[in-house]
Amino acid sequence: MRLSGPDAARAVSKLAGIIPPPRSARRRRLIDPASGEPLDDALVLWFPAPNSATGEDVAEFHLHGSRAVLAAITAALTPLGLRLAEPGEFTRRAFQNGKLDLTQAEAIADLAMAETEAQRHQALRQLDGELGNLYRGWSQKLIRILAHLEAAIDFPDEDLPPEIEDRILTETAALATEIDRHLADGHRGERLRDGIAVAIIGPPNAGKSSLLNRIARREAAITSPVAGTTRDIVEVAIDLAGYPVLLADTAGLRDSDDPVEQEGLRRARARARVAEIRLFVFDARHPADARAAAAWPGPDTLLVANKIDLLGQNADRVLGNPLPPPGGEGRERGASPPDDHARDCLPTDVFTMSALTGAGLDPLLAALAARIAETYRSEAPLLTRARHRQALEDATASLHRALTAALPELRAEDLRLALRYLGQITGAVDVEHLLDIIFRDFCLGK
Ligand code: GDP
C-alpha cells in the first residue's frame, strides 16, 4: 500500500511509530491508532519529498495483502484524513510535480496493461523517455527557428544576416519533413499497442475455423474474445512470439445470392483488406482454389494449403506445385485453368499443413512471427497513440502553412501554433483539459 501527500508522515508515525530512515526498509508492527489493536506485521519504507515517485512525501507498507488486512489498514487511515487514490492519481501527481512527461505517464498505463513482450518493450522504451525526447528535440528546433524569425521581425533594420529568411524556411521545411516521416510509419506503434490484425480468408470448408482453433489452442496465452467482433467474424487475441496478434476467421469467400451471406462476404473482404497479414487457406486437394488469392497480391498474403492429411501419395505432386497445369487438378471441380496473370499475382510462399493433425503448423507460425518481427523491429521510437498522431498532424499542418505564409508575422503565428501542438504531447503546455481524459483509463493504484 502506497501513501502519497503531506499527511503521509503523520499517518506512518501514527500506525508504525518511528518513521524509518529515507529509502530503507524497516519491519514494523502496524497498530490502529484509535483502538490500539495490532493490524499487521509489515515492511515500511519512507521516501521524503521531493525524491519520490510522485514528488511528494511517499510511504509504502508491504503488507500481507489479504482483503482483511487491506480493509483494516484502510479503515485505520481514513480517520487520519487519507482516502483511496483515483485511477492513475499517483502518476498524475508525478506528472504535475515534473517527475514525468505525459508520454511517460501514458507509458506507465501501457506497461501496466502490456500482455506481450513486444508491448512491454515498447512501453518501457517510452517510459525511458525516448518518445518525449524526440518531441522535445523538435520543440527545441522550432524555438530556435521562431527566435530567429522574431528577431528579424522586431529588428528589421539591425544587421541580421541576409540569408536568415532562407534559413528559416529551410529549417522549417526540414522539420516538417521529419515529422511527416515519423507520421508515415504505417501506424506500427499504435498497432503494437492494440494488436496486429491477421485475417484468415479463403473458400468455404477450406479449414479456416479449424486453423483458427488450432492456433488459438496452441498460442492461447491471451486468447480472449475481442469486443465488437461481428457475428460472422470470430476474432481471438494471441501472443505470437511476443507480438500481440488479433487473429480473425472470416466467412468463406464464394459467390452467393443470399443477402445474409453477401453481407458476411462484404465484411470478410473488408477485414481482409484492413488486415496487415492474410492467411489464404485452401483445400490442398483443390489447388485451383488458390487462384482467388490473386485478389490480395504481395508478400502480406501467405498461401496455406490445408488438409494435406487427405492427399496420400499425391502430396508431393500437389505441394510442389500449388497451381495445377491446364487441364489438371482444377478441372475436377469444374474450374478453368489459371491464367498467367493470376499465376503471376499469386504469393510465392505456400505453406502446407493439416489443421486436423497439426502437421505443418509450426513452420507457418514461425513464418508469420518472422514477418511481424521484420515489420515491427524499429530503431527509432514509434508513435504509439492517436493523441500524439493528432497533435503531430496539427503541428506539421501549421509548419506547412508557415512555409507559404504571406507575411513574417503570420509565419511566426503558425510556428507558435506548431510549437504549442508539439508541447501538448509531452504536456509542456496547455494540457489541463486533457488530463482527465488521459488518466481516466489508468488502473487503480498506478
Ligand atoms: P471453414 O469453412 O474454412 O472455416 O472450414 P472448417 O474449419 O469449418 O472445416 C471444414 C471441414 O473440413 C470440417 O469438417 C473440418 O473438420 C475439416 N477439416 C479442416 N481442416 C482439416 C484438415 O486439415 N484435414 C482434414 N481431414 N479435415 C479438415
Side-chain angles (χ1 to χ4, degrees):
M1 183 180 281
R2 197 194 232 177
L3 319 178
S4 181
D7 288 338
R10 196 165 59 91
V12 174
S13 58
K14 289 263 187 197
L15 266 73
I18 300 164
I19 296 178
R23 289 173 298 283
S24 90
R26 290 291 184 275
R27 186 176 168 188
R28 295 272 193 275
R29 170 144 299 218
L30 302 184
I31 310 279
D32 183 341
S35 65
E37 188 196 345
L39 300 173
D40 195 12
D41 194 41
L43 270 185
V44 179
L45 282 133
W46 176 241
F47 304 91
N51 299 317
S52 70
T54 58
E56 304 172 328
D57 280 347
V58 167
E60 280 179 12
F61 295 152
H62 292 245
L63 306 164
H64 290 97
S66 67
R67 207 172 302 162
V69 168
L70 286 175
I73 306 277
T74 308
L77 289 171
T78 307
L80 304 177
L82 279 74
R83 62 166 173 79
L84 286 177
E86 308 282 340
E89 190 170 357
F90 287 98
T91 314
R92 183 173 183 150
R93 290 188 182 192
F95 164 70
Q96 281 168 332
N97 291 321
K99 291 278 166 182
L100 299 167
D101 71 27
L102 268 189
T103 65
Q104 290 171 308
E106 287 167 327
I108 287 181
D110 287 353
L111 201 51
M113 305 285 275
E115 289 187 306
T116 72
E117 274 299 285
Q119 289 171 321
R120 182 185 64 74
H121 191 233
Q122 172 163 282
L124 206 55
R125 283 178 70 169
Q126 188 169 324
L127 184 58
D128 283 344
E130 274 197 4
L131 216 45
N133 290 341
L134 179 70
Y135 299 148
R136 265 188 300 277
W138 288 342
S139 293
Q140 296 298 327
K141 276 188 191 166
L142 196 46
I143 288 169
R144 265 196 38 224
I145 298 171
L146 198 52
H148 284 140
L149 179 57
E150 284 180 347
I153 292 170
D154 290 347
F155 309 103
D157 301 330
E158 304 281 317
D159 276 345
L160 285 164
E163 74 281 3
I164 198 153
E165 177 82 3
D166 278 352
R167 211 169 76 200
I168 288 167
L169 287 178
T170 319
E171 288 178 2
T172 304
L175 183 59
T177 307
E178 208 174 330
I179 298 177
D180 288 341
R181 209 176 296 138
H182 179 68
L183 279 167
D185 67 346
H187 296 253
R188 284 185 295 158
E190 291 141 291
R191 286 180 177 188
L192 211 49
R193 268 190 77 227
D194 300 338
I196 300 155
V198 175
I200 303 179
I201 56 173
N205 282 321
K208 299 182 295 302
S209 309
S210 307
L211 176 60
L212 178 95
N213 288 336
R214 189 160 271 283
I215 296 178
R217 231 176 308 138
R218 176 79 63 92
E219 303 287 322
I222 46 170
T223 42
S224 57
V226 173
T229 53
T230 53
R231 196 162 43 85
D232 50 340
I233 295 183
V234 178
E235 195 173 54
V236 293
I238 59 167
D239 177 340
L240 186 64
Y243 290 93
V245 167
L246 295 176
L247 188 65
D249 177 23
T250 62
L253 301 169
R254 66 170 170 194
D255 293 331
S256 168
D257 295 330
D258 173 13
V260 176
E261 190 171 356
Q262 279 176 351
E263 175 59 17
L265 279 169
R266 194 189 62 72
R267 292 182 190 184
R269 292 208 171 93
R271 174 55 68 99
R273 258 196 310 279
V274 298
E276 200 160 329
I277 300 175
R278 285 157 288 275
L279 303 180
F280 185 96
V281 181
F282 63 100
D283 186 328
R285 293 170 300 169
H286 308 300
D289 286 355
R291 283 184 304 145
W296 292 277
D300 296 331
T301 302
L302 305 186
L303 200 51
V304 182
N306 188 35
K307 306 195 188 184
I308 50 164
D309 56 292
L310 297 178
L311 281 181
Q313 69 233 36
N314 289 335
D316 286 348
R317 181 171 61 81
V318 179
L319 303 187
N321 177 12
L323 284 181
E329 195 90 15
R331 189 132 41 124
E332 155 194 324
R333 305 180 74 222
S336 54
D339 60 33
D340 284 346
H341 175 66
R343 193 188 290 269
D344 290 345
C345 290
L346 275 177
T348 48
D349 320 89
V350 180
F351 294 89
T352 54
M353 66 166 298
S354 166
L356 187 72
T357 67
L361 183 64
D362 287 340
L364 174 65
L365 292 180
L368 189 57
R371 157 138 262 112
I372 291 171
E374 190 183 314
T375 308
Y376 283 87
R377 200 175 294 125
S378 174
E379 293 304 317
L382 294 172
L383 204 167
T384 54
R385 286 188 185 236
R387 184 182 81 80
H388 307 171
R389 182 171 294 281
Q390 185 60 55
L392 289 172
E393 280 170 355
D394 291 341
T396 178
S398 303
L399 291 179
H400 286 291
R401 233 182 4 255
L403 285 170
T404 54
L407 293 170
E409 287 79 1
L410 295 178
R411 176 164 301 148
E413 189 50 34
D414 284 328
L415 294 183
R416 268 192 293 272
L417 260 181
L419 188 58
R420 192 177 185 143
Y421 289 127
L422 284 179
Q424 282 179 356
I425 308 179
T426 54
V429 291
D430 193 26
V431 288
E432 203 47 46
H433 66 288
L434 274 176
L435 295 185
D436 288 336
I437 301 169
I438 291 171
F439 289 99
R440 194 180 49 202
D441 299 333
F442 270 67
C443 323
L444 278 171
K446 284 283 175 289

